[in-house]
Amino acid sequence: MAEWLNSVGLRVRALFRRGRLNQDLHDEIAHHLAMREAKLRASGTAQPAAHARRQFGSVATIQEELRESWTFAPHLGNVLQDLRYAARMLRHSAGFAVAVVLTLGLGIGANTAFFSIVNAALIRPLGYADADRLVAVHESFPESNLEHLPFSPLDFEDLQRYQEAFDGVAAYRSIPFELSGHGLSEQVQGARVSASLLPTLGVAPIVGRTFSTKEDRPGVHVAILSWGLWHRRYGADPAIVGRRITLDRRAYTVVGVMPRTFVFPRRGPRVNHEPADVWVPLAFTDRERVERAMNLTNSVVARLKSGVSLEMAQAQLDVLSGQIAANYPSVVLNAGFRPHLSAVPLREDISGRFRFPLLMLLAAGGFVLLVACANVANLMLSRAAGRNRELAVRAALGAGRGRLMQLLLCEALLLSFAGGALGVTLAYWSVETIPAVLASSVPGLQDVTLDLRVLAFTAMTCVATGLIVGLLPLATLDRRSPGDALRADTSRTTGARQRPRMQQAFVISAVGLAFVLLVGAGLLLRSFSALIATNPGFRAAQVLTVSMTLPQTTYNTPASVRTFHRALLGGLGSVPGVRYSSLASDFPLGAVGNLRFEPEGSALASRVTPMTNLTSVQGPYFETFGMTLRHGRFFTEEEHLEDRRVVIVNEKLATRFWPGENPIGKRLKWGSVDSVSPWLTVVGVVGDVADGPIGVEPDVHAYQPFRQAPDFFLDRRVKTAVLVQGNARALSARIREEIARLDPQLAIESIAPMEQRLRDAFAPRRFSTGLVMVCAAVALLLAWIGLYGLLAFSITERRREIAVRLALGAEPRAVAGMVVAQAARLVAVGLIVGFVASLGVTRLVTSLLYETNHYDAMTFVIVPLVVALAALLACAVPAWRAASVEPLKALRAE
Amino acid sequence: MEERPRKADLLQGTLELLILRTVATGEKHGYEIAEWIHVASADALSVEEGALYPALHRLELRGLLTAQWDVSENNRRAKYYRLTASGRKRLSDTTESWRRTSAAINRVLDAT
């Protein structure tokens, strides 16, 4: 150990003091020569200097040798030599090299691309100071299985006031803004954030300042811009601070600009946050400060005090939860349901739930690379066998075993790095397209890049690959003395006896690995088809959807909002080709907040905290989406216009809270039992529709006429759904015109056919299923090539034996059968290995499956059939070639 | 890619033993080491000077020797080698095993 440290130390010194060491060496040798010369002169030798030099030997050689001892790779010279030699050899066998580089390039490319996704989503820093100390805080009702809800304003204020574990606590919520002035008005993503947000995140504006606590109250109109918006819309005006911009038709004073790298909020799994371009103070109004159990719309982020662990913070939150429950009994329901505050590391909160699927993807890529390695190792092995003679000659010329290994490893590494270069190129192309598909669903994927970390990963993969494909064949390298190896027939050496077993092992592992991947892909495919076969409960065809947000200033009274609603519905109704037009606070598939409610006379209400999704609607919403009426009726025209207190619930809500009873005529109200909200009478029950992320069981859902919805809930978000006759897309221009006629300044967020929204909802799953299927297909193809290669190779090797058999009267059919039997044995073992392995692996992926058992019989029947069929195809040609060996010709050739 | 013939390889272990032993008598520079071996072996062994320096540096790299620059008897800058603690230990280990081996070889040669 000490010796090793010493030598490393000297080498490190040598790195920085090369010139000095060279000088020392020169001096040392010169001193020696001078001493020698002096002695020779004293003894009367003629030309003592020349003699001394001759006696010393080649100074240059010694210097060279010594310099090598200073470097980290003492054999660097040799390595370069070997690399050059390997490159030359590979040029001579270009076909081999191309096959290997393509195979490894595919494997390494897939892994690089997958790792770049994992890097962007799970590893890359969030861009906040000391982000490890940041946590998301949620409110839960554990007894009701209500986890990780956002905060109500009152609860947030209590948390901020009474906590001791955090250096900063901040709340925020996403909000769209209409940005006007300077040309077209557009809708931009914004966020209302508490003044404590930027200090808590530890990020300061690059221009200007952050919000002061004094500004965090209603009526103050200040804003901070993103770097992107500052550039895009204001030409990076250096005098932006103090300038006024128009948000929702009201002047806001810009006080700061955030750095380019600042992204906040990040898309989260629970609340539909979008990265904001403009931040304004959170400034709760009194109207928003309603009951604790309502207006759960504020996400909370906090920074742990240094020295405070997550557990300690959680313990403090537990105490605080108890205090809130005790101080505000109205939050706690009859049977003692307590709100519970919990802290989750921010990173995990943002992307934790993607960790597993992404790691599965990485694993799939790893499997493909392993199959590729098995194939390449096999190729290298066949090649090494052919080269036994060459290697023997080298050994005879004095190359040690280590030197031979170095040569072969150089070759393997050269190949794997060439494959890596190809892989990085492939990955570079693919990361351009990946974010477009996945960005909307996985946080952090807006910018997947091949950064240094990804490249380091790829380099490591290349080294590992090179070692695997280089070292495995080495195991069969001829161990006998060079002389014996030279004398022996090259094709029948000891290596040759060991080689087939090893090659068979490679083929078996390739088949097994491909089998596991195919099973995984099969299960995902079955899940996916089950998913798209699921009836979402609504009609998507020919429904056109429009989203917009009314600016608060112009539409600041319920009356003005209602006027716009009526005008919009009337206007759309007059457009030719429109059959139904309706308004809603959200469409199916859109994430909708949970609202606390009290179902009258429900036995269940005493055992769970009742929460429901709420959509406020106007016009023939249910008809537009073709939803099914189970009981009762839809809303009447009058109910949309008047303050009649009615509600429609979905089947799930009705059967959960009033099981076995007629839900029509039952009553419910928003908030807890003693809230001041009026009672609403259930007039209808509609079928469940997919209301959240696709593949998630529809939740309980209530629908209420727009004008009766709770104030804070109503907001100004307007979504319009239009059922049209004919081409939905073609009508969108006409609809834009109609809206512009009502309010020329209004920015439309999006117009999209509902079918597209449905497709988008499937996109992430389609994408990941597709990726795994491609992985499986590539693995199968590689395994197939490996099997084919092995069979073809063994036929060539056994030509003589086959010829003898045929000459002795064996049927060609029997010979072909022999080949098939050989393949069948390998494939059978591969299948068994793969089968056993997949039983273990599939248990792990259960959570990714939708209505598919992880021992899905169909998959486990079809996959072996596919593999067997592929194997049959692989042995067809070799078997035919074996059967058509002409005995005399083959024997003569020997 | 033929290997450069390294005559020193044959003697490497022996040469290193001789160097360690020589330096054990006191710190010396390269030339002195070569001369000392020559003299001490009664002119029987003459160290190949070319092989000497790589061996010295190897031993230095392995921490068996340390070196220091000083002024030699002829007023030139010379590098003086000295035994380290681990060098001393290595010397005694190797000496013992060398003695055992050579005694064994002698016994074989003397056997009738």
Side-chain angles (χ1 to χ4, degrees):
Chain A
M1 189 62 190
E3 282 187 19
W4 181 81
L5 272 180
N6 196 46
S7 88
V8 168
L10 199 106
R11 281 169 191 177
V12 170
R13 274 204 306 283
L15 272 182
F16 301 101
R17 301 182 47 214
R18 174 124 307 183
R20 181 65 200 270
L21 281 168
N22 275 330
Q23 185 59 46
D24 282 356
L25 180 58
H26 176 263
D27 288 358
E28 192 174 12
I29 291 172
H31 176 255
H32 185 110
L33 289 173
M35 299 289 288
R36 171 68 66 217
E37 187 188 332
K39 191 185 174 193
L40 289 170
R41 181 173 293 121
S43 67
T45 313
Q47 289 180 318
H51 202 108
R53 259 175 206 287
R54 216 166 27 250
Q55 198 173 338
F56 190 88
S58 162
V59 176
T61 309
I62 291 158
Q63 281 182 329
E64 192 50 44
E65 191 168 337
L66 284 172
R67 274 190 209 113
E68 277 180 15
S69 73
W70 299 336
T71 64
F72 276 94
H75 303 299
L76 192 66
N78 291 344
V79 170
L80 287 178
Q81 201 182 356
D82 284 356
L83 279 176
R84 268 198 302 275
Y85 179 79
R88 212 162 48 235
M89 283 298 292
L90 292 175
R91 253 206 320 278
H92 287 154
S93 40
F96 164 80
V98 166
V100 169
V101 169
L102 279 179
T103 309
L104 293 183
L106 268 180
I108 295 174
N111 279 279
T112 301
F114 294 171
F115 182 77
S116 65
I117 297 180
V118 171
N119 179 43
L122 302 180
I123 302 174
R124 204 163 48 197
L126 291 172
Y128 314 133
D130 205 3
D132 288 349
R133 307 206 65 78
L134 291 175
V135 296
V137 187
H138 301 287
E139 196 163 358
S140 302
F141 292 87
E143 289 99 335
S144 312
N145 286 327
L146 291 167
E147 298 285 342
H148 298 119
L149 303 177
F151 272 66
S152 64
L154 294 177
D155 282 354
F156 166 67
E157 285 170 352
D158 273 355
L159 172 69
Q160 205 173 25
R161 209 170 298 141
Y162 298 119
Q163 64 79 23
E164 285 155 12
F166 304 111
D167 272 336
V169 178
Y172 58 94
R173 51 181 298 205
S174 288
I175 175 175
F177 279 116
E178 179 197 88
L179 176 66
S180 48
H182 291 273
L184 272 180
S185 55
E186 61 174 319
Q187 189 173 312
V188 295
Q189 260 321 309
R192 290 172 59 180
V193 304
S194 63
S196 52
L197 180 81
L198 295 179
T200 299
L201 295 178
V203 184
I206 45 163
V207 178
R209 58 171 176 86
T210 180
F211 300 128
S212 72
T213 33
K214 268 185 294 182
E215 285 165 332
D216 197 0
R217 59 186 165 79
V220 179
H221 297 113
V222 288
I224 294 177
L225 305 183
S226 75
W227 193 91
L229 186 67
W230 181 44
H231 272 70
R232 181 165 60 79
R233 190 93 190 201
Y234 303 101
D237 177 4
I240 189 79
V241 170
R243 249 181 86 170
R244 303 236 159 158
I245 63 169
T246 313
L247 294 175
D248 281 1
R249 302 176 198 182
R250 174 177 278 150
Y252 280 69
T253 308
V254 176
V255 299
V257 176
M258 293 310 289
R260 182 178 200 164
T261 50
F262 182 73
V263 180
F264 192 88
R266 289 181 175 263
R267 234 172 235 118
R270 292 170 188 108
V271 184
N272 218 0
H273 289 306
E274 290 289 325
D277 267 325
V278 55
W279 296 271
V280 302
L282 182 56
F284 291 126
T285 62
D286 288 337
R287 234 168 60 166
E288 286 171 328
R289 272 203 200 81
V290 288
E291 234 186 289
R292 277 167 194 277
M294 285 168 73
N295 191 11
L296 308 182
T297 46
N298 302 285
S299 298
V300 172
V301 60
R303 174 175 292 277
L304 289 171
K305 274 192 181 138
S306 80
V308 173
S309 68
L310 187 64
E311 292 71 29
M312 288 153 76
Q314 185 57 57
Q316 219 245 317
L317 289 177
D318 291 346
V319 173
L320 197 57
S321 311
Q323 284 169 358
I324 290 179
N327 293 348
Y328 306 100
S330 68
V331 194
V332 183
L333 279 188
N334 352 9
F337 291 96
R338 288 153 198 293
H340 182 250
L341 311 185
S342 58
V344 185
L346 187 62
R347 162 116 256 170
E348 193 183 313
D349 187 61
I350 292 171
S351 49
R353 77 182 174 130
F354 299 104
R355 180 176 299 143
F356 186 65
L358 288 178
L359 293 184
M360 288 310 294
L361 201 58
L362 205 54
F367 270 48
V368 172
L369 185 58
L370 278 180
V371 177
C373 281
N375 261 20
V376 170
N378 227 342
L379 278 175
M380 303 277 278
L381 195 55
S382 308
R383 196 153 164 280
R387 287 170 68 189
N388 253 349
R389 196 185 179 85
E390 176 213 332
L391 296 176
V393 170
R394 291 175 163 281
L397 288 177
R401 195 172 158 75
R403 195 64 209 287
L404 288 181
M405 284 179 64
Q406 185 179 316
L407 175 68
L408 293 179
L409 268 183
C410 274
E411 262 184 38
L413 284 172
L414 196 66
L415 287 168
S416 75
F417 271 90
L422 175 67
V424 167
T425 315
L426 293 177
Y428 182 77
W429 284 334
S430 56
V431 298
E432 302 273 292
T433 50
I434 290 168
V437 186
L438 277 185
S440 59
S441 54
V442 182
L445 285 200
Q446 297 85 323
D447 46 355
V448 176
T449 48
L450 300 181
D451 61 11
L452 278 180
R453 199 179 288 110
V454 175
L455 293 180
F457 170 85
T458 307
M460 264 161 43
T461 313
C462 287
V463 170
T465 306
L467 289 181
I468 292 175
V469 302
L471 285 180
L472 284 178
L474 276 180
T476 64
L477 207 62
D478 212 319
R479 278 168 213 282
R480 292 167 312 161
S481 74
D484 285 353
L486 275 177
R487 265 189 302 279
D489 179 348
T490 47
S491 64
R492 264 171 255 285
T493 51
T494 19
R497 232 176 294 134
Q498 221 173 10
R499 186 161 38 77
R501 228 177 305 140
M502 196 138 182
Q503 288 187 311
Q504 289 173 354
F506 286 147
V507 168
I508 289 170
S509 15
V511 170
L513 288 166
F515 185 95
V516 174
L517 262 185
L518 281 169
V519 165
L523 291 177
L524 288 181
L525 186 66
R526 292 270 288 163
S527 297
F528 186 69
S529 53
L531 198 61
I532 48 177
T534 317
N535 181 5
F538 62 83
R539 165 176 52 210
Q542 297 193 324
V543 175
L544 196 63
T545 63
V546 188
S547 316
M548 62 206 123
T549 303
L550 301 179
Q552 203 167 15
T553 37
T554 311
Y555 302 91
N556 53 354
T557 60
S560 62
V561 174
R562 271 177 220 153
T563 310
F564 179 83
H565 282 176
R566 250 198 320 276
L568 179 62
L569 280 184
L572 292 177
S574 68
V575 173
V578 169
R579 228 170 102 198
Y580 292 121
S581 54
S582 56
L583 304 175
S585 58
D586 268 302
F587 298 131
L589 301 180
V592 247
N594 270 309
L595 197 64
R596 167 81 177 277
F597 74 105
E598 178 66 25
E600 192 182 32
S602 167
L604 191 66
S606 62
R607 279 182 283 121
V608 299
T609 308
M611 304 282 284
T612 181
N613 292 318
L614 171 64
T615 301
S616 41
V617 302
Q618 187 163 350
Y621 174 84
F622 304 104
E623 291 91 332
T624 311
F625 281 106
M627 287 161 62
T628 343
L629 183 69
R630 301 283 187 212
H631 304 285
R633 55 172 176 83
F634 291 143
F635 297 127
T636 64
E637 191 74 14
E638 296 73 44
E639 279 158 354
H640 283 303
L641 302 177
E642 294 164 23
D643 284 351
R644 286 212 209 141
R645 302 300 181 179
V646 288
V647 68
I648 289 178
V649 299
N650 72 348
E651 235 177 333
K652 186 154 238 158
L653 191 149
T655 50
R656 180 179 299 173
F657 290 98
W658 298 291
E661 295 180 66
N662 178 10
I664 305 299
K666 295 281 183 197
R667 299 200 304 169
L668 60 85
K669 70 173 176 179
W670 306 128
S672 50
V673 66
D674 48 5
S675 92
V676 294
S677 307
W679 287 100
L680 313 171
T681 308
V682 175
V683 296
V685 177
V686 293
D688 300 339
V689 302
D691 47 9
I694 204 86
V696 176
E697 177 96 340
D699 208 347
V700 294
H701 208 125
Y703 302 86
Q704 200 182 7
F706 240 117
R707 69 173 295 159
Q708 301 172 24
D711 276 350
F712 69 84
F713 187 83
L714 197 147
D715 231 346
R716 299 152 298 123
R717 224 160 15 153
V718 182
K719 302 210 167 186
T720 301
V722 179
L723 177 68
V724 303
Q725 286 157 321
N727 186 352
R729 201 182 280 276
L731 264 174
S732 56
R734 187 68 194 78
I735 288 170
R736 259 182 212 282
E737 272 170 36
E738 194 54 43
I739 294 170
R741 203 174 53 78
L742 293 175
D743 184 342
Q745 223 184 325
L746 190 64
I748 293 174
E749 186 190 334
S750 67
I751 295 192
M754 195 62 198
E755 277 176 311
Q756 186 189 322
R757 289 181 191 270
L758 192 57
R759 264 201 310 279
D760 288 351
F762 286 123
R765 256 183 192 265
R766 181 186 296 122
F767 185 71
S768 53
T769 304
L771 277 186
V772 173
M773 291 197 59
V774 168
C775 283
V778 170
L780 181 65
L781 182 70
L782 290 177
W784 187 85
I785 292 173
L787 180 63
Y788 175 83
L790 177 71
L791 293 174
F793 186 75
S794 83
I795 298 306
T796 316
E797 280 213 317
R798 292 169 66 188
R799 246 175 110 77
R800 183 193 167 94
E801 175 208 330
I802 292 170
V804 171
R805 278 170 191 262
L806 287 170
L808 291 178
E811 287 277 327
R813 202 151 22 114
V815 170
M818 200 173 68
V819 176
V820 175
Q822 185 194 0
R825 269 199 306 278
L826 292 182
V827 172
V829 177
L831 286 182
I832 292 169
V833 170
F835 186 81
V836 172
S838 24
L839 287 183
V841 170
T842 51
R843 256 217 317 275
L844 297 175
V845 300
T846 313
S847 65
L848 299 180
L849 302 180
Y850 176 78
E851 288 191 356
T852 306
N853 191 301
H854 62 277
Y855 294 136
D856 181 57
M858 180 99 118
T859 306
F860 275 90
V861 167
I862 288 179
V863 168
L865 283 178
V866 168
V867 176
L869 194 69
L872 200 66
L873 282 174
C875 56
V877 173
W880 173 77
R881 268 183 41 208
S884 52
V885 164
E886 288 176 45
L888 283 178
K889 222 160 142 191
L891 287 171
R892 219 177 292 129
E894 270 303 298
Chain B
M1 51 138 254
E2 58 284 2
E3 290 269 275
R4 185 173 338 117
R6 293 214 308 228
K7 291 175 224 152
D9 280 2
L10 301 168
L11 247 178
Q12 185 174 316
T14 330
L15 177 59
E16 287 179 359
L17 173 60
L18 294 178
I19 291 171
L20 291 177
R21 173 71 186 87
T22 304
V23 177
T25 63
E27 80 173 11
K28 290 184 176 53
H29 56 68
Y31 179 77
E32 282 175 329
I33 295 171
E35 284 298 291
W36 199 90
I37 294 176
H38 189 65
V39 172
S41 66
D43 299 352
L45 294 175
S46 117
V47 176
E48 257 189 74
E49 295 168 12
L52 176 67
Y53 287 93
L56 282 171
H57 279 240
R58 246 185 337 261
L59 291 169
E60 191 188 348
L61 268 181
R62 279 154 54 191
L64 302 177
L65 294 180
T66 58
Q68 211 175 342
W69 286 90
D70 211 335
V71 179
S72 75
E73 58 272 33
N74 63 353
N75 265 334
R76 294 184 68 130
R77 211 168 147 260
K79 193 177 181 185
Y80 284 88
Y81 294 90
R82 203 175 12 183
L83 214 53
T84 64
S86 54
R88 196 167 297 283
K89 183 171 183 324
R90 175 65 56 89
L91 173 61
S92 78
D93 290 352
T94 322
T95 306
E96 195 192 329
S97 94
W98 172 266
R99 292 234 157 92
R100 266 205 311 271
T101 312
S102 65
I105 291 173
N106 283 334
R107 273 198 297 279
V108 171
L109 294 179
D110 294 345
T112 47

